[in-house]
Amino acid sequence: MLTRNMTKAVRTNMSAPSAKQQTAAVLKKAQQIVKTECDHDVNRSEILGKRHRRSTKHKTAVSQAHQTQARPTEETGNVQVRPRRKSIKVEYDSTAGTRDKELQDRNNPKKSQWEPQDWIKQLDNIREMRKNKDAPVDQMGAGKCFDPRAAPQVIRYQVLISLMLSSQTKDEVTAAAMKKLQAHGLSVENIVQTDDKTLGELIYPVGFWKSKVKYMKQCSEILQQQYNGDIPDNVTDLVKLPGIGPKMAHLTMAIAWNTVSGIGTV
């Protein structure tokens, strides 16, 4: 029995590969992998080369086709002459030239004028709806919030302040704030000397009242220093004031200066 087991063990050891054989097998496998990768790189290079040559031929053909289409030939006897392209002069309209052209077109009866569709009918409808002047803005808007007994310069300032407060605020709230300000003394000099806390209590609860307190103080200081306590008489300078936008500026021109500059009244 012992002899049989020894014989089996010897056979098993003889059939197992040696370390040298294992190393040779690993090297052979590595060589096969390297060869496969090299073949793959060669094939990839050939494919990219074919694509590049194809792309170059396509670009050349397209360029030649464009040149042929862009430069038609005219036969003169046996010689073909290709005419040159005519250069196009680019002209830019100046602001003054555009304005003059608009005036010329307006005075030219042969020139057709574009008009909004049914605008006359829409204007008549607006006038019909507004004929009674019964909206809140008619009783408590910027055109009604100033003190008519004040000096013209102060009235214009109060119109400007009422429009500033009216942004994102109901007319009723704006009118109430204006009454409190007038009781306090709504003039450039008084607002400049009034502290922010007091101003906030006077105009609350108008929309964004904290920002409007800052705008009122800054605007009043500018009017005192640059306009002798009055307000600007043009839209360009009005929109430079803190808290005053284009719409407020046009309404200020219409109410305070009685000048229609962009937004009129029906």
Side-chain angles (χ1 to χ4, degrees):
M1 186 69 174
L2 179 61
T3 305
R4 186 180 301 175
N5 291 338
M6 292 178 61
T7 305
K8 186 177 180 180
V10 170
R11 288 179 180 177
T12 303
N13 293 334
M14 291 179 63
S15 61
S18 62
K20 186 175 181 180
Q21 291 176 342
Q22 291 179 354
T23 303
V26 170
L27 290 175
K28 184 176 180 180
K29 184 66 175 178
Q31 290 175 355
Q32 291 177 352
I33 294 173
V34 171
K35 184 176 182 303
T36 302
E37 291 181 353
C38 291
D39 294 342
H40 176 72
D41 292 340
V42 170
N43 294 336
R44 187 169 181 272
S45 300
E46 291 178 354
I47 292 172
L48 292 177
K50 290 180 180 179
R51 289 181 180 176
H52 177 71
R53 288 192 295 272
R54 230 180 300 161
S55 176
T56 304
K57 290 181 180 179
H58 176 71
K59 291 180 180 178
T60 304
V62 170
S63 177
Q64 292 176 354
H66 285 175
Q67 292 178 1
T68 304
Q69 294 176 1
R71 301 185 63 182
T73 59
E74 296 179 358
E75 293 186 0
T76 307
N78 296 327
V79 181
Q80 291 184 347
V81 179
R82 292 180 177 177
R84 290 185 176 181
R85 288 183 180 179
K86 294 182 179 180
S87 60
I88 301 175
K89 184 179 180 181
V90 180
E91 297 181 352
Y92 298 93
D93 295 333
S94 62
T95 304
T98 303
R99 180 60 179 167
D100 294 341
K101 187 175 183 301
E102 289 178 356
L103 293 176
Q104 292 175 3
D105 293 343
R106 187 176 298 175
N107 297 327
N108 185 4
K110 296 182 180 179
K111 189 77 173 180
S112 60
Q113 297 290 330
W114 178 86
E115 294 181 352
Q117 186 177 4
D118 298 331
W119 72 271
I120 297 179
K121 182 179 179 180
Q122 294 176 13
L123 180 59
D124 291 338
N125 292 337
I126 294 173
R127 284 174 173 163
E128 178 64 25
M129 290 187 292
R130 296 283 295 131
K131 67 179 181 179
N132 295 327
K133 304 289 185 180
D134 53 359
V137 69
D138 297 312
Q139 308 301 326
M140 295 173 282
K144 300 291 183 179
C145 283
F146 60 84
D147 183 3
R149 299 167 296 178
Q153 180 173 310
V154 177
I155 290 178
R156 289 191 287 268
Y157 173 71
Q158 292 184 2
V159 169
L160 183 69
I161 295 299
S162 66
L163 286 167
M164 182 187 295
L165 298 180
S166 68
S167 175
Q168 301 294 318
T169 306
K170 292 183 177 181
D171 295 318
E172 297 85 348
V173 178
T174 302
M178 287 295 295
K179 287 182 179 179
K180 290 191 289 185
L181 285 171
Q182 289 168 4
H184 171 76
L186 185 53
S187 64
V188 172
E189 294 78 9
N190 286 348
I191 297 302
V192 170
Q193 296 174 2
T194 304
D195 60 274
D196 293 357
K197 183 176 181 298
T198 302
L199 274 181
E201 294 173 351
L202 290 171
I203 68 173
Y204 182 84
V206 299
F208 303 100
W209 62 274
K210 292 182 179 180
S211 297
K212 290 176 181 178
V213 166
K214 179 179 64 176
Y215 294 151
M216 286 179 63
K217 291 295 293 291
Q218 294 175 350
C219 182
S220 299
E221 291 173 356
I222 293 173
L223 296 179
Q224 187 180 54
Q225 297 171 5
Q226 300 182 15
Y227 297 94
N228 196 25
D230 205 345
I231 67 173
D233 59 355
N234 59 84
V235 173
T236 302
D237 292 334
L238 282 170
V239 295
K240 293 179 182 179
L241 298 174
I244 301 298
K247 179 181 177 181
M248 296 180 191
H250 287 298
L251 288 172
T252 301
M253 291 297 298
I255 300 171
W257 293 107
N258 196 26
T259 301
V260 178
S261 59
I263 299 177
T265 56
V266 179

